[in-house]
Each structure stands twice: as C-alpha cells, then as structure tokens.
Amino acid sequence: QVQLVESGGGVVQPGRSLRLSCTASGVSLNSITTHWVRQAQGKGPEWVAVTSFDGDSEYYAESVKGRFIVSRDNSKETVSLQMNNLRPEDTAVYFCATGPYFNYLYMDVWGKGTAVTVSS
Amino acid sequence: DIQMTQSPSTLSASVGDRVTITCRASRNIRFWLAWYQQKPGKAPKLLIYDASRLQSGVPSRFSGSGSGTEFTLTISSLQPDDFATYYCQHYDNHFPTFGPGTKVDVK
C-alpha cells in the first residue's frame, strides 16, 4: 500500500523560510509526478506546485511563484518544498500528493499533511 | 486562470437519497476533471478522474459525467460514509485549480 509522509511543518515568522519534505513507502517517489497542495483552515484545497518524476520540469501557482521551490533528491527518494519569504497567507496544512501523469495533473495518493503557521 | 465553481455549496440529504453536485469551469476543459471527497481532518480522496472514470476501489454508487464546462458528480444512493465535502478539480493545463466545495450533510 502506498503511503506518503510529510514532515517539516511548524510555526515560523513572516519573512522567514521553512522546508517541507515528502517521503513514500510502497512506491518509489523517483518515478512519480509529485505535487504539493495546501489547505487553509475552512477553505478548499489550493494546488501549490508539481515536479515531474525526473525533476526536469516543475510548475508553480502564481501565489507562490518566486518564493517556493520544489525539488527532489532521488538518492534519498524525497521531494521537498523550500518555502521562502513566508507570509501569513501561507498558513495552511500542506499535503504531498502523487499523480500518475505529468501532463494530466490529478492526484491519486495523498499524505496526511503537515501544518505550517506563519505568524509573528 | 481557469475558475471552478460548484453548486450547491451545501446539500442536506438522507441515507438512500440520490445526490447530484454540479461543477462548472470558466472555459472549456474538455474531460480533464477530477472529483475528490474530503472528511474533516483528512486528506482529499480521489473518486473520479477524466470526468467519468471511477478510481480503483471507489464504490460504484459514485459516478461522474459532463464535458466542456459543466460536470456532475452523482451518488446514486447516499450511504452514511458519504457525508463529507466534495471538490472538483480541473487539470486542463499545468495549473490545476479546485472548486470551492460542496458539503453534504445530514437532513
């Protein structure tokens, strides 16, 4: 059974950085399109970023472009989300999710999420 | 940006009811639509992709239809486990967006 586990969430001040990680069991993340999706309290999900299985291609939501970077370390089978210059509106639960295709971006496996709070 | 809307925002129903949720896209997204179910404190769960394809393991009482700009999710006979919030999501380009959700609660 495929399971995704996110880590790295916490409380951080505005303007600071935080790095989230996603690891998997039951599947190799090295071969799968991987997304980050966030959800603020009481709101619907918001797609954040996606990286192709080989890390050669990535896309970002406009709300995070230029501040967030998604990367993968295939030697560690980990996908990370480096979040810089954080803002209060980035406060959310961040989910790692995988999808079967890079050209058709739906998500078929989700982690349980890690909470990020941006507050002074 | 492609904007997604859903109606109704809340739907009150009873076990055994047939339930229909509508999702609309701001422009033609062909068949590139997914539906998710989410329960409080949990991650979304994929139900339907490509507008009408049932994800493996999802009960057959769930079905999806539509194309272009208007789509529906139907639950043929609502079960106790189906009380949840449902989201649609387009993937017509590399910038997927979700709808605002439809909460199905107990009548």
Side-chain angles (χ1 to χ4, degrees):
Chain A
Q1 185 178 356
V2 178
Q3 287 189 318
L4 302 177
V5 177
E6 304 89 344
S7 60
V11 180
V12 62
Q13 293 178 328
R16 304 297 292 265
S17 299
L18 203 61
R19 187 178 184 89
L20 307 182
S21 294
C22 174
T23 58
S25 60
V27 70
S28 170
L29 276 184
N30 294 357
S31 59
I32 296 185
T33 295
T34 306
H35 302 259
W36 289 95
V37 178
R38 67 186 181 185
Q39 188 169 27
Q41 180 72 26
K43 303 290 187 183
E46 178 190 13
W47 174 81
V48 172
V50 63
T51 179
S52 60
F53 74 95
D54 55 7
D56 280 356
S57 299
E58 57 214 39
Y59 292 92
Y60 299 90
E62 275 301 315
S63 57
V64 306
K65 195 171 183 181
R67 300 187 299 124
F68 290 12
I69 300 170
V70 61
S71 62
R72 57 168 72 239
D73 183 340
N74 284 348
S75 66
K76 297 180 180 177
E77 301 202 12
T78 299
V79 174
S80 298
L81 184 69
Q82 177 67 38
M83 305 187 294
N84 300 320
N85 190 19
L86 282 160
R87 303 168 179 168
E89 56 264 37
D90 296 319
T91 295
V93 174
Y94 284 72
F95 297 99
C96 170
T98 58
Y101 309 109
F102 188 66
N103 286 328
Y104 303 102
L105 298 183
Y106 63 88
M107 304 103 192
D108 60 354
V109 179
W110 295 65
K112 293 183 178 181
T114 186
V116 172
T117 301
V118 184
S119 174
S120 53
Chain B
D1 281 14
I2 300 173
Q3 309 301 320
M4 308 300 293
T5 59
Q6 288 182 234
S7 59
S9 55
T10 305
L11 189 160
S12 297
S14 302
V15 172
D17 284 353
R18 182 181 182 86
V19 166
T20 299
I21 298 168
T22 298
C23 173
R24 291 185 174 86
S26 60
R27 66 163 176 83
N28 185 353
I29 59 169
R30 297 171 285 177
F31 298 95
W32 307 129
L33 187 96
W35 288 98
Y36 300 85
Q37 176 194 69
Q38 188 176 32
K39 296 181 179 179
K42 302 291 188 182
K45 173 187 173 183
L46 178 67
L47 300 175
I48 301 280
Y49 62 98
D50 294 355
S52 61
R53 296 182 185 273
L54 196 66
Q55 173 68 356
S56 176
V58 174
S60 59
R61 62 181 179 273
F62 291 93
S63 63
S65 64
S67 65
T69 62
E70 187 158 331
F71 302 85
T72 58
L73 173 70
T74 299
I75 308 172
S76 60
S77 176
L78 194 69
Q79 298 302 300
D81 191 46
D82 301 338
F83 292 101
T85 301
Y86 294 84
Y87 296 96
C88 61
Q89 176 231 323
H90 91 82
Y91 47 98
D92 187 63
N93 56 27
H94 283 101
F95 306 95
T97 52
F98 291 83
T102 294
K103 184 178 182 180
V104 177
D105 63 16
V106 178
K107 191 178 210 177

